Structures are given as structure tokens and as C-alpha cells.
Amino acid sequence: MGEFKVHRVRFFDYMPSAIRTMAFNSRSERLALARADGAVELFNFADNYFQDKVIPGREGRDTEALCWVGRRLFSAGLNGEITEYDLEKLRPRYTVAAFGGAIWTMSSNSQGSLLAVGCEDGTVKIFEVLEETIRHQRNLARQKGRIVSLSWHPSGTLIAAGMMDMIQIFDAETGQATHRLLVEKRLRASKSVEVVVWSVVFLSDHTIVSGDSAGKVQMWDGSTGTLIRTYLVSKWDVLALAVSQDERSLVAGTSEGTVIQFQFLSTVDQQPEEWIRTRTFKNHSHDVRALAHTETAVVSGGMDVQLVVRPLLDKVERNTQEAALRKIAFPHRNLVCCAKKAGLLLFQFPEHLEVWRLGESDGHGRPGDRLPVKRKPEKLIELKRKGEDHICCSALSPCGGWIAYSTVSGVRLYRFQHNNNIRISKVSRLPKVLCSVQQLCFSSDSSKLFASTSHSSLIVVGLNQSECKYLNTLKPKSDSRQPVHLLAASDDGRWLAAANTDCEIHVYNLEKMKIHCSVPIHSSCPTAIAIHPVTSSLVAVHADQQIFEYSLELKEYTEWSRKLQKQGLHSLWLERDTPVTHITFNPRNPAHIVLHDAFMFCIIDQSLPLPEAKAVLYNQMTLRSLPESDRPRHSHAFKICKSFQHLMCVSLLDDHSLVAVERPLQDIMCQLPPPVRQKKFAT
Amino acid sequence: MKGQRSEGKVDCSENMVEHANVRVVHRGGSKINFREPVISSDSRFLLCPSGESVKVFSTSTEECIRDLRGHTDLVTGVLIRPSNHLQVYSSSLDGTVRLWDFTDGILIRTCVIGQPIYSMYTSAHHKGILFIVISMGADRRSELFQLVAVHLPQSGEQLVEAREVSAVLSYVDSNPATISFGKGGEYIASATGFQLEVFYFRKQKSYRFFLKGNNKKGAKNTFTCVACHPHENCIATGHEDGKIRLWRNFTDQKEYTYSTLHWHHSAVSSLRFTPEGTNLLSGGVESVLVQWRYNQDNQRDFLPRLGAAITHITVSPDGSLFCTSHSDNKITVIQSCVKVSAVIQGLVKGRSIRTDLMVDPCSKALVLNGKPGHLQFYSLQRDKLLYNLDIVQQEYIHELGLEQMEVVKAAFSPAGNWLATVEERKQSATEVELNLKLWEFDQQTQSFVLNTTISAPHEAQITAMCFCQAADSQTTMLVSASKEGHFKAWQLEPAHTEDEGPSWSCGFVGAYHGLVPGCCCFSADGSLLAVGFQEVVTVWSPVSWELLTTLSQPPGIIRNLCFGRLSCSKYLLGTISNNMLCCWNLLTCSLEWSTSMDTSLLLADPLSENMAAFCSQAGCTDLFVFKPSEPRPLFSQKAVCSGKVTRAVFAPREEMLESCEESSQWLNHSQLYFFNQNMDLLSFTTKAEEDRLMASSKQLMIDDSVAMTPFYLLLGKHRQQEGNPEADSSLPVDRAALPQGTVAMKELLQTPAHVLPSTSFLCSMFVQSLLISITDSREEHKHSDEELESEKEEEDSEGEMDSSILRPELGPVAAAPPLSKAQIRELRRVKKLDHSWCTGLLDS
């Protein structure tokens, strides 16, 4: 496998924020998820749950509701505004104020023509969805108390609104309330404590399902306004409800971290079906704030920052990859940038950037030993972002002399001196074209900065000691409007590769400043790309875990890549559930490709035979136990190391040491607020 | 194990040829919690399999009303016949299914299957079909079972053979709780291991659902029991880890679903839906009956403190009565899940009997370990637990691996007014916590009251303990021998101060060359004490504490010592480790005779000079009954039972048997009870005794809870007058002496109306019968008088059991001038005196 001196970095205090709400678009199979810091993440469920787009948050934008209307995504929050997002430029397109105080909920009718928002002042406001914008149409009859939850009847004629202590049913045509359903308080609760109807669902058979702060899930007859069933499911609140497309399964999320499933079953033959409580899933330690019911799975998220995809075993084939439980805790993109020559690390937080210098050690030891640290790692600077928008991307040049970051509103570039006295100075006059940037990348000699903008085009900016100047704009031949999410420059400075969320990878020749070629499109989105420094071939790993190597000189897949495709990857490799997020190469051995996902890093040795389907994939431990002479017979190209977990970044420095940035999940869990008190058996 | 049992039986029957009139029987104390009981449709009777018979209990009075005898092996199931709620089926390991009329106790039909039946099911929707569980394949010992459907032949014959047998499910569990019929008999659900199988009869199709065996969280998913909802498609399953799963939509192999209820902390042993399906009952080791509201998962009711782990739950057909069987051989009848209305307690059987078997001289009850920390008093005559005496008087905490205080030794004084108990807790291998407690019989409360507690009476475990035998001696004395190398004599000392009564204290500490005493025994008159110190028998005088003599003739460690009685009181018998039974003559201080046999138990009959020795040989136990004076057995039986006999006792009979056959004469005075390895209580019975029992069970019996109708008032009065003499002295002679009028009335009232002759014909007969009865009225009057008297006596005399012995003898005397009360008492006292010395004189 090769031996490295490893910098085991655990000082990246990355803390994802809590999941607030989510919306699933069953047509495009995309899940939109809003976090407490206002960021919106998009997951493509059709493509291995890959998080392909992230819209950065903004201070003061507390998203409380998300809503898909066709392919358009709307959000509303406590700041009282409705925002539509531009999913190509990854920024808000426009914002409309509702003038009703904080917005707690938003729902669109099934035709996609109207949006209803529930406001703090007790009004339900109906907005018309127009081609380019939304327009306020009218208000429904105003109620006392805030509107906490809303649900349209699929026909679009009725709206159910969950409020304090009651549920109101409105006629959407006239705007008048037709029914008032009073929700009971918890037994032995004081009079002053109100019951909050956190969630309502209006089913097509006029059944209304409500979840409230008294821990009840109640089924109401919406046409007569009577209570049908009450299920007391929690000692605490029921916070979220979600129903499947066919309305045969319903899930409720509680403060105890449980998700409870109800199914529409007939218990007696030839009798009408009824809702019956069936399974209980406990995958969260804290509140389940957001729920979505896809065709095959229950998706839940909440305070404990993880997104959990729990497949329903009656809907999927057993013992397949689809039937496995997935927990998505880490972003599927790089938040760490490593300056290979200088030995610096740049950590990206939503609010600030940190630059650390790695520690040093001159000790030597056997594999597995812990070396004494001569110089401790040191935080050089902490750079606060300017403005209200959160940082969406950042880059550190390989020499460590430049730091660049971008927000929705603009790009900032800094000159950074770190040798003796630390000094940072902002480069003032940036080219005007650098305004809305999705990805940033420095060339290996730190003389150029590459930035991606709209329509997948790239801007090349030349850097020297004093100034930076706009050099060129590179445009792909295709007319894709999707944003670039990966950039990779070759070490020799000749090539630049860019991947966008349309699964395209374009390679540009930097000497001629024009497009060189496009890699044949694979159906799955690339999650990491890199250009080999010696052979000038592009290595790309996709969300479906496939690996391709494309020779840039010959403009075709290399022999190794063809062999790999012909033989197929090992089944265990394909079953991993986190994407490869970073690829790097071993300068000493050009046959080595180093790549990593959240739970392992792997060195692919192209000189060794590929693993057979029946071979043991994780064979490093068994190899170690074998005598030296037997090892070559058993070794194969995939050398996988699992000794580092929750990896945020693995990179090789120029001094041939390996940097592994870990963020243990336990540390994240420690920082969460305490969960609701639950009685534990035998305590 | 089952195979061994049947082998043992075969041997017994061979022996029966030898001694045609003495055989081994199960006599009382059998398990009533082996299989779940069944409640009759009017909720008045509870039927439960008990050993080889089916017992019918009254749910209101707890009394055993009837014993349905006929099976020759363990009964494995009782079920009400779906087409006739007055008939029950019972299945047994003897390979037969019997149909009974349980109100009259009549065996209607016997259906021979030919294979041991492990459990049985019926369904109202499968007429004429019985579902039974038998072992798979020809090998009867295989651990694999199958469920088969038996079409019962529709012939009127007494003995029929079932030939139409069709397999339904294979690889089922033999535990009846794991199979249940679903809604309307449409399907049957069976659980084994990690698999639930649902079989639809109409489609002839089965669906299988699996649970993961090894859960990462340590959940044990093994199925333990199954119950089907009566009206809805819902199956409830209990699991090893205490979860209850409610399965729904199980007609779909893929889209099935279940919800989970969790309250129990360890395995759910029984589940039952109420007949309306509104509630689900569950029970387990927590000894709490949990009532779940169906479809309202969070609402549940508890009935806690039921005493012991619940093994079965039964619900009456109308849902008004629940009934739980418990691991301590108890059935609790519960009214509408709130009130325990009756407790039917059988003989409590722990894993082993640490105390010896004893007979309480007062109540003539069998005394042994019962519930943890208790002694139980079990009436052998009535086959009923009288009461539990709490010895340890500490809260019992159910926890695995926790060492509890246990009663390890107990002894009664000959008069029955003192009880000594030893309790012990083993904290570690060396440290033992000991308590010696002495209990005095309180005449007022008719129970034992703690008199003295001696903590740490010895430093090491107590090996033997006995009271001085002499009934008339002034001082009561207790001797205890311990592993520490001493034996101590405890004596009742008068009170030191006014306000406290007499208490016990140590009077003498004896030792012999630092050897460990293993057993001790008083002679019948209390003048000698024999203590076995390893290889040496020492004989002491309890009056002067002088070592009289030592006996160590055949070398070997003494295991058991026993003095002869009555005419043989000069002999001392002992068993020695190297398989020797020795008899020493105390007059000559020499070995009288010895014989080589591996004696595991040696005991003396307190009412005769007979001694019984159980010898284990080749996996079986043989019994020898002999007199110490001659080394020739009076009676011997090979292979009494398989395995070792652990405990045995001679229980005095209430009335002496008049048997003249030589081989059964030893059973005249007392009856020999013993426990085999499986903790079954067995006894010996003679042919004459059995015949008498059969005769008495044939008598018509009417339940005491008959509705209060005018007929009952008429009939009930008569029964009260006649019932008691009939019950007490079940001699057929007494029955013949009944007044004629009552017979005629009974005939009139008990014959079904449709077979009665016309009323005009009856009327004259009825009136005539009344007229004739005048002549008998005086005698009848006398009978009732006498009865009243004896009842009164029962209240104040301690030997109330004697009254029934006395009565038949009194009969002829009463014809002569009647005796006064004082005279009767005097007569009784004289009768009670030990006249054995007379026989001793005559012999010498």
C-alpha cells in the first residue's frame, strides 16, 4: 500500500445545522431540504441520493417551509418573505413579502397554480404562481392565532389549516371557514397551555390527519368535521406528518426522535379500510422536524442534523442496495482545501474561513505508531465573511499565498503571507465579471484563478504580485444551464476540467484557452474529478461509484478504464453509501490514485490486477497476516484503509505526507442540545 | 424423557403381575399449570389437565368438583367441544383423545390416534375435525412436530379409531401457545423460532414471515406465543425480548406490516384476545397481567402482584372471567381484569426439595418447601394446599443470580406443637448465613407463631436436625448437627421474666474426635440419641449426655440412621457409603445383620415397625419394606420409578385399611409417598382402596352453586341433611340407610321431564313416599343431631381429623345408651395413647 506519515487532523470543528423542513418532488425525484441556517440542499434520489446542489444560507433567513411547484422551488420563513430560488445560479431569484408577520407554513395546490401561506397574524394568504413571479391574490377569512400548518385538498377547493387549539377548514373559492375542529389538550395539562397543531394533511377522501403538541395523531372526517380516531403516539409533540403518493401510508415524526407509520388497511374482509398504526422507526436522537414519504422510503430529518432514508421493506426488494438504511450526515462536497506545497489547510464554514498550519514531527516509527509532535498545528487566521450571505465556496492556492471565497453576492480575494509574520491583504480591484461564482480553483503554480459562473462557463483570472486581471472566459460547446460543481486543474498547467450537474465533464486547454474535449456523458453525476499529473488522463468518480479514466491526449477511455468497465467493480465497492469526494495522486508512484469517501480512503494501484467478483475487497488486514512471499498473489488494485472514519478530506502533500481530516460524528452529537427527557427502562 | 417415562410404566405393569394388588399411582400434587385450563361456557367450571386426569374446579368456590380419570399418561390438552358446550375433549400422551361429559363425569368416547399427542386445537368452523400436534416421522422421540387434522368418526361406539388423518403444517412447536386459529377459522397461525407461518385452509396456501435472528441491538426476536384476533385479520405474537407484534396485511408476502407493543422486560409467555376482540391480554415472568386496548396502543391496564410468573392465560367464552396459570402451580381466576376472585393452588414445586418431606402431626398435611422462603402445608386427603407458612419473612426479589434465603431444614416435634426450621443463604463458598427458628403452634389461630430465632446456631451448614421422639416427655428437645464438627441440643427454657414466654437455648454441645456429624436420630421413647460421625455411630443418653457406646463395625461413612419402632425398638439401622444396610442390636451392641444394597433413602413408619428402603439400581429405584428384626423383605418392588427417589415419607392413614394380604399389610397404617426425579408425587395403592375410590367417584354429585330456584330450596335442604354423612363416611352401607322418601324425591327431581310418567301416576307415589317416611324420621333426626355434635367438636378439638375415624366406630356404640361428651373425649384420649409397649411385652 505504501507508507505515509499521516497528519490526523481533528481540529476542523465543522457543525452542520439542524434540518428544519424538507419537500420532495416526486416527478424529478429531488428532495429539497432546508437547514436552520437558511441553506437549502438538493438531493437527487434518482442518482444515489447525491447532494448535487447547495444554495447557501443568509443571515436572518429562517426557512420554515419549502414547496415545489413543478420544477420551481419556493421557500418561506419567519422573516415574512417568500423566496423563489434560481436552481441554475444557486441563489434566490426574487423575494416577495407577504405582509402578515412571520410565515409558518406554505403549501401549493396540486395544480401548481396557487400557493397558500400561513402567517403569524392568522391569515392564510393565497398567491398566484405566474410565469416569472408570484402575485398576491387574496386573503382567506382571518382567524385568531397563528396559522402553523396548511394542507390543500387534492381537488384544490378546500384548505385545512392547523392553528392553536384547532383546525380550520376553508373553502378556497369563497375564502370562508367551513369547519372548526377543536383539538383536545393533553390530559391534566393546564388551561393556559395551548395545543399547537404542528402538521395537517388533507387526504383526497376528505380525511384530515393532524399531528399536535399533545402527542396525538388524529384522523378527522373533513366533510362533517368529526373526529374518527385518535392515536396517542408520543409523550411529547408530533411535529411532522407526511403521506405517500397513493395515500395508503402515513408517517408522523415526534420529538422523541421516532417516526411512526400508519397504514390504510382493511382488517376485516369486505369492510372499509382504516388507518392503523403499524411500525415505529427510531433513527433519530432528537426532534424529527421534517418528513417526506417517497414511493419506497421514509425520509426524515431533524435536530440531530442527519438525513435518514429508511426504505420501507414492503416496497423494495430485500437484500439489495435499495433496502439499506442511509444516514447522510456530511456534505457531498469539499469543505477543506489543502495547500500542498505550503502545508496549509483552509476550512470553510458558513460564517468564516480558517487557515491552519499543519504540525511537524521528525520522529520515525513503525507503521501504526504515534509520532511525537514537534510543532503543534496552529490556527493562522480566522477570516470572517462580509455581508449577510453565507460563504458558498472557497479556495486556497497551492503555494498558500492566495485565499479566495465567494458568496452569492460577490467574490473576495486575499493575498496571504504566512512565512514569518502573518499578513493578509484584500486584493481590491477584482474584474467585474467575478460576481456570482459557484466554484473557485487555483492553478498549481498559483498564477491563475478559475471561477465558474452561469451557463457552465469559466472565468480565468491571472494573478501576480500586485494585481489580478481578467484573462479569458471559457465556454462549453453544449448549452447546459446547470452550474459547475467540480473544477480540477492539472499540475502541469495545461488542462482544466469542469463538471456540472448535467453530468457533463468539459476539458479545456489552458495554453490555447479553448475547449479541448468533452468526456462522454455517464448517466450519473460525477462526484470527484482530477487530472493525472504524469499521464494527463482525467479520473472521474460518479455518484453510482463508477470510476472512469479518460486520456486527454487520445480523447478516449484508457485501457485500464476499459478493463475496469468490462470486468465490473466489486459489489462491495458499489454498495458503499457515501460518494467519493476527493481524488489525488501519489507523485512518487504514478500508478497510484488516492481517493476517499466518508468512511474509508483507498489507493488504487493501476499496476495490480483488478479484484475478482469473489475476492475479498477489504483485504489489507489479511494481507498483513500473510508472509511476504504470498502477498502478491492475494493483493489487488483496491487497497482500502478504514482506520480513519468520518473523513472530510484526504490529501497528499508534496513532502509525501498524508493529511486526513476527520470529523467524528460523536463530536457533532456532543454539541447538540440535550434531547427531550424519556423514561428509560430500569432507571 | 418421555420415552423413559413410558418404559417406567411398562415395568410397573409387569410388577403388577407380581403383586396384583399394590401399584404405583400418581396421587395428588400433580401440575395444574402444565397446559392451559379451559372455562366452561357458563363460566362456572374450570377444567384443567392435571397429571393423568382432568380436574374440574368450581370457579366460585375453588373446590375440585370432579376428577375425570381414564387416561394412562400425561394429559396434554383440554378443550370444550365446539358443537356441545357440555362436553370436553382431552388429549394425552397415551395416544388417545377422550370425549367427556364433564358435568356428570362420564367418559363418552375414546378415540385412538396411536401416537403421543402433544397439544390439541379445535375450531367452531371445522366441524368434526380435531387438530392435534404429533411428532414427525415414525421416531417418537424426534424433536420435530407436525400439526395434523383428525376427522373424528361419527359412530356411537365407545372406542373408535381415527384413521382419517391429514397433515396441515409441519415443523411446528409442541408448545400449544404457538398455534392459534384466525378469524372464523379461515387460517391458522403457527410460530417456531424466528418464523411465523399463516396457513389458509380455503386456498391451501401458507405465507411465511421471518424475523432477523441476530439483531445488532441484542433484541431476541424468537417467537414465544401467538394469538389471533377473533374478528379482524390481525395476529399478535409474543417474543423472547418482551415485545408484542401485531401483524396485519399478512395475505401479502411482501406488503405485510406489523406494529410493536413493548412493556414486558422478558419473554411474553402467553397472549390472548378477549372474545369481542377489544382487549389483548399478555403475561410473562413479571407476574403482571397486562390488558392492552386493541388499536389504542398506549392505553393498558395492569393487574400486578399475581405471585408468580404467568404461564397461560385463558378467557371465558363470554369474556367475563380471565384465568391465569402460574409457574408455582397455581391458577388465578380474575373477574373482568380487576379483581382476583379465586385462587386454585396446587402443590408448589420448586427445582428441588431442600427440606425433607414431613407430615404435620396436627393437620396430617404434607410439609415441604413451597414458594421461596415458605413451607407449604399440603393436604394429601383433599389434594389441596392448606396454607403457606412464611419462614424467611423477607421480601422475595426476583432477580437472576441473586442468592436468597432458603429454608433448608425443618422438623416437627412428635406432638406437633413445635416446628423447627433452618434457613440459609450462601453468600460465597465459605460464608453461610444461617438462622434456626422455632415455631410454636398457636391453638387460637391454628397456625405456627415464631417463638425463638437463633441466628448463626452453627458456624457451618446444618446437616441434620431432629426432635426428641417421646411424646410424653416433659422436656422438648431438638438436636442439630453441623458440618463444623459439633452437634447441639436445644432445650425449651422457662421464661426469665414475667412478660415473655419460654424460649429455646442451647443445652449441650457434643463432639466426637473432631469428626463431622452427618445424621442424627432419637429412639422412639427418647432415651437414646444416635449421631453418625462419619464412620462411627455414637449413641448418647439425652438425659445425662453420656456417650453410651460407639458402633463402627462395618467401615464406611454413615449416611442414614434410623431407630426401629415398637417391637423392634432395640434395633438401630444405618446405611453406609459402601452400599451396606446394617442393623445393630443395641442390647448387645453388635451388628445383628447387614446386607449389601445401595440404599438412597431409609425411613421408618411411625405407626408400625416397618421400614422402607429405596435402592437405586441401574437408573431405576427399587423399594424394600422390611422389619428390622428379620432381614427378609415383607414387600419388594423392582423399578418403582425411573431415576432416583429423592424424598419419601410415611403418611398416617385417616382410617386403617383392613387388608389381610401379606404383601399389602404394610400399607394398612400409613401410606408411603415419594417424589421421583421429575418431582412427581407418587404413592402406593392397593386394589381394595382403588375399588373404593372408583365407587365413591361414581356417586352423583351436584355442584353447590346451583341456581336458587324453588326446586333447589326443596332439594338443597334435603341435601344438606343427608350430604354431610355421605361425604364423611363414603361407605356404601351408609347410603343404603338413607330414608326412602329422599330417594323418591331425588328420582322425581333428577329424572329428565320427558321420560317421567304422567303426573297423576307420580302424585300418588310421591304422597305415598311421604307417608312411609314417618317411620324413618326418628333415625334421621338422630343422624343430624350427631352430625351437629361432631361439627361442634371439630371447632375446638385439635385432632379434628380423628373425628372421622372415630365416627364409624361410634356407630354401633351409639345404638346403646348414648355417651356424654366428656366420655367421648376420654375414649378418644385412650385410643390415642401409644399401646405399642403392650405388643413389645407380648413379643418378648
Side-chain angles (χ1 to χ4, degrees), chain B residues 597-625:
Chain B
M597 55 201 281
D598 182 14
T599 315
S600 59
L601 258 180
L602 178 71
L603 64 157
D605 182 358
L607 298 181
S608 68
E609 51 270 87
N610 295 330
M611 311 211 61
F614 287 94
C615 310
S616 51
Q617 210 164 42
C620 288
T621 302
D622 307 336
L623 170 71
F624 297 95
V625 180

Short mmCIF file of all heavy atoms in Angstrom, two decimals, chain B residues 597-625:
data_model
loop_
_atom_site.label_atom_id
_atom_site.label_comp_id
_atom_site.label_asym_id
_atom_site.label_seq_id
_atom_site.Cartn_x
_atom_site.Cartn_y
_atom_site.Cartn_z
N MET B 597 -26.73 -53.39 49.71
CA MET B 597 -27.63 -52.72 48.77
C MET B 597 -27.36 -51.22 48.80
O MET B 597 -27.01 -50.65 49.82
CB MET B 597 -29.10 -53.02 49.10
CG MET B 597 -29.50 -52.69 50.52
SD MET B 597 -30.96 -53.61 51.01
CE MET B 597 -32.20 -52.66 50.22
N ASP B 598 -27.52 -50.61 47.62
CA ASP B 598 -27.24 -49.17 47.50
C ASP B 598 -28.48 -48.41 47.91
O ASP B 598 -29.32 -48.06 47.11
CB ASP B 598 -26.83 -48.86 46.06
CG ASP B 598 -26.48 -47.39 45.89
OD1 ASP B 598 -26.31 -46.70 46.92
OD2 ASP B 598 -26.40 -46.95 44.74
N THR B 599 -28.58 -48.16 49.20
CA THR B 599 -29.79 -47.52 49.72
C THR B 599 -29.67 -46.01 49.63
O THR B 599 -28.72 -45.43 50.13
CB THR B 599 -30.00 -47.93 51.18
OG1 THR B 599 -29.77 -49.31 51.28
CG2 THR B 599 -31.37 -47.57 51.67
N SER B 600 -30.62 -45.40 48.97
CA SER B 600 -30.58 -43.95 48.89
C SER B 600 -31.44 -43.31 49.96
O SER B 600 -31.20 -42.18 50.35
CB SER B 600 -31.03 -43.48 47.50
OG SER B 600 -32.33 -43.93 47.25
N LEU B 601 -32.45 -44.00 50.40
CA LEU B 601 -33.35 -43.44 51.40
C LEU B 601 -33.76 -44.56 52.35
O LEU B 601 -34.06 -45.66 51.92
CB LEU B 601 -34.61 -42.91 50.72
CG LEU B 601 -34.74 -41.41 50.52
CD1 LEU B 601 -36.05 -41.14 49.84
CD2 LEU B 601 -34.63 -40.67 51.82
N LEU B 602 -33.77 -44.25 53.61
CA LEU B 602 -34.20 -45.23 54.60
C LEU B 602 -35.16 -44.50 55.52
O LEU B 602 -34.83 -43.44 56.04
CB LEU B 602 -32.98 -45.74 55.37
CG LEU B 602 -33.23 -46.74 56.48
CD1 LEU B 602 -33.65 -48.07 55.90
CD2 LEU B 602 -31.98 -46.91 57.33
N LEU B 603 -36.35 -45.04 55.67
CA LEU B 603 -37.26 -44.36 56.59
C LEU B 603 -38.15 -45.36 57.31
O LEU B 603 -38.39 -46.46 56.82
CB LEU B 603 -38.08 -43.28 55.89
CG LEU B 603 -39.06 -43.66 54.80
CD1 LEU B 603 -40.10 -42.56 54.72
CD2 LEU B 603 -38.34 -43.71 53.47
N ALA B 604 -38.58 -44.92 58.49
CA ALA B 604 -39.36 -45.80 59.34
C ALA B 604 -40.81 -45.33 59.35
O ALA B 604 -41.09 -44.14 59.33
CB ALA B 604 -38.81 -45.76 60.76
N ASP B 605 -41.70 -46.29 59.38
CA ASP B 605 -43.12 -45.97 59.51
C ASP B 605 -43.39 -45.65 60.98
O ASP B 605 -43.13 -46.47 61.85
CB ASP B 605 -43.93 -47.19 59.05
CG ASP B 605 -45.42 -46.92 59.11
OD1 ASP B 605 -45.81 -45.82 59.53
OD2 ASP B 605 -46.16 -47.83 58.72
N PRO B 606 -43.89 -44.48 61.30
CA PRO B 606 -44.08 -44.15 62.72
C PRO B 606 -45.17 -44.98 63.39
O PRO B 606 -45.22 -45.04 64.62
CB PRO B 606 -44.44 -42.67 62.68
CG PRO B 606 -44.94 -42.41 61.31
CD PRO B 606 -44.24 -43.38 60.41
N LEU B 607 -46.04 -45.61 62.65
CA LEU B 607 -47.14 -46.34 63.24
C LEU B 607 -46.93 -47.85 63.27
O LEU B 607 -47.76 -48.58 63.78
CB LEU B 607 -48.45 -46.03 62.51
CG LEU B 607 -48.89 -44.56 62.56
CD1 LEU B 607 -50.19 -44.39 61.83
CD2 LEU B 607 -49.02 -44.09 63.99
N SER B 608 -45.89 -48.34 62.68
CA SER B 608 -45.63 -49.78 62.75
C SER B 608 -44.12 -49.99 62.80
O SER B 608 -43.36 -49.02 62.80
CB SER B 608 -46.22 -50.47 61.52
OG SER B 608 -45.51 -50.08 60.37
N GLU B 609 -43.71 -51.23 62.87
CA GLU B 609 -42.26 -51.45 62.93
C GLU B 609 -41.64 -51.55 61.56
O GLU B 609 -40.46 -51.81 61.42
CB GLU B 609 -41.95 -52.70 63.76
CG GLU B 609 -42.69 -53.97 63.40
CD GLU B 609 -44.00 -54.12 64.15
OE1 GLU B 609 -44.98 -53.58 63.63
OE2 GLU B 609 -44.04 -54.75 65.22
N ASN B 610 -42.44 -51.30 60.53
CA ASN B 610 -41.92 -51.45 59.18
C ASN B 610 -40.94 -50.34 58.83
O ASN B 610 -41.06 -49.22 59.29
CB ASN B 610 -43.07 -51.39 58.16
CG ASN B 610 -44.00 -52.56 58.33
OD1 ASN B 610 -43.57 -53.63 58.75
ND2 ASN B 610 -45.27 -52.34 58.05
N MET B 611 -40.01 -50.70 57.98
CA MET B 611 -39.07 -49.72 57.46
C MET B 611 -39.04 -49.87 55.96
O MET B 611 -39.23 -50.96 55.43
CB MET B 611 -37.67 -49.94 58.02
CG MET B 611 -37.68 -50.09 59.50
SD MET B 611 -36.22 -49.51 60.30
CE MET B 611 -36.07 -47.87 59.96
N ALA B 612 -38.82 -48.75 55.30
CA ALA B 612 -38.76 -48.78 53.84
C ALA B 612 -37.39 -48.30 53.40
O ALA B 612 -36.84 -47.36 53.96
CB ALA B 612 -39.83 -47.88 53.25
N ALA B 613 -36.83 -48.98 52.42
CA ALA B 613 -35.53 -48.60 51.88
C ALA B 613 -35.66 -48.49 50.37
O ALA B 613 -36.16 -49.41 49.72
CB ALA B 613 -34.47 -49.61 52.26
N PHE B 614 -35.27 -47.34 49.86
CA PHE B 614 -35.25 -47.16 48.41
C PHE B 614 -33.83 -47.38 47.92
O PHE B 614 -32.90 -46.77 48.44
CB PHE B 614 -35.70 -45.76 48.04
CG PHE B 614 -37.17 -45.52 48.21
CD1 PHE B 614 -37.66 -44.98 49.38
CD2 PHE B 614 -38.05 -45.86 47.20
CE1 PHE B 614 -39.01 -44.75 49.53
CE2 PHE B 614 -39.41 -45.63 47.36
CZ PHE B 614 -39.89 -45.09 48.53
N CYS B 615 -33.67 -48.26 46.97
CA CYS B 615 -32.34 -48.56 46.46
C CYS B 615 -32.31 -48.22 44.98
O CYS B 615 -33.19 -48.62 44.23
CB CYS B 615 -32.00 -50.03 46.59
SG CYS B 615 -32.31 -50.62 48.23
N SER B 616 -31.34 -47.45 44.62
CA SER B 616 -31.24 -47.13 43.19
C SER B 616 -30.36 -48.15 42.51
O SER B 616 -29.31 -48.53 43.03
CB SER B 616 -30.69 -45.71 43.00
OG SER B 616 -29.52 -45.57 43.74
N GLN B 617 -30.81 -48.58 41.38
CA GLN B 617 -30.09 -49.63 40.69
C GLN B 617 -30.35 -49.47 39.20
O GLN B 617 -31.50 -49.45 38.76
CB GLN B 617 -30.59 -51.00 41.14
CG GLN B 617 -29.53 -52.05 41.08
CD GLN B 617 -29.93 -53.26 41.88
OE1 GLN B 617 -31.07 -53.67 41.82
NE2 GLN B 617 -29.00 -53.83 42.61
N ALA B 618 -29.30 -49.26 38.46
CA ALA B 618 -29.34 -49.20 37.01
C ALA B 618 -30.40 -48.21 36.52
O ALA B 618 -31.27 -48.53 35.71
CB ALA B 618 -29.62 -50.59 36.43
N GLY B 619 -30.38 -47.02 37.08
CA GLY B 619 -31.28 -45.97 36.60
C GLY B 619 -32.69 -46.08 37.13
O GLY B 619 -33.53 -45.24 36.84
N CYS B 620 -32.98 -47.12 37.87
CA CYS B 620 -34.31 -47.27 38.44
C CYS B 620 -34.18 -47.33 39.96
O CYS B 620 -33.10 -47.42 40.50
CB CYS B 620 -34.99 -48.54 37.97
SG CYS B 620 -35.47 -48.44 36.26
N THR B 621 -35.30 -47.27 40.61
CA THR B 621 -35.29 -47.36 42.06
C THR B 621 -36.17 -48.54 42.48
O THR B 621 -37.28 -48.71 41.98
CB THR B 621 -35.81 -46.05 42.67
OG1 THR B 621 -34.98 -45.00 42.21
CG2 THR B 621 -35.78 -46.10 44.16
N ASP B 622 -35.62 -49.32 43.38
CA ASP B 622 -36.37 -50.45 43.93
C ASP B 622 -36.77 -50.11 45.36
O ASP B 622 -36.10 -49.35 46.04
CB ASP B 622 -35.52 -51.72 43.96
CG ASP B 622 -34.92 -52.01 42.60
OD1 ASP B 622 -35.51 -51.55 41.60
OD2 ASP B 622 -33.87 -52.67 42.55
N LEU B 623 -37.87 -50.70 45.79
CA LEU B 623 -38.33 -50.47 47.15
C LEU B 623 -38.35 -51.79 47.91
O LEU B 623 -38.78 -52.83 47.38
CB LEU B 623 -39.75 -49.88 47.12
CG LEU B 623 -40.44 -49.80 48.48
CD1 LEU B 623 -39.81 -48.73 49.33
CD2 LEU B 623 -41.92 -49.54 48.32
N PHE B 624 -37.83 -51.74 49.12
CA PHE B 624 -37.91 -52.89 50.00
C PHE B 624 -38.56 -52.46 51.29
O PHE B 624 -38.19 -51.43 51.85
CB PHE B 624 -36.51 -53.45 50.30
CG PHE B 624 -35.81 -53.95 49.09
CD1 PHE B 624 -34.93 -53.14 48.39
CD2 PHE B 624 -36.04 -55.24 48.61
CE1 PHE B 624 -34.28 -53.59 47.26
CE2 PHE B 624 -35.40 -55.69 47.48
CZ PHE B 624 -34.53 -54.87 46.80
N VAL B 625 -39.53 -53.21 51.73
CA VAL B 625 -40.15 -52.95 53.04
C VAL B 625 -39.84 -54.16 53.91
O VAL B 625 -40.02 -55.30 53.47
CB VAL B 625 -41.66 -52.74 52.90
CG1 VAL B 625 -42.27 -52.48 54.25
CG2 VAL B 625 -41.95 -51.58 51.96
#
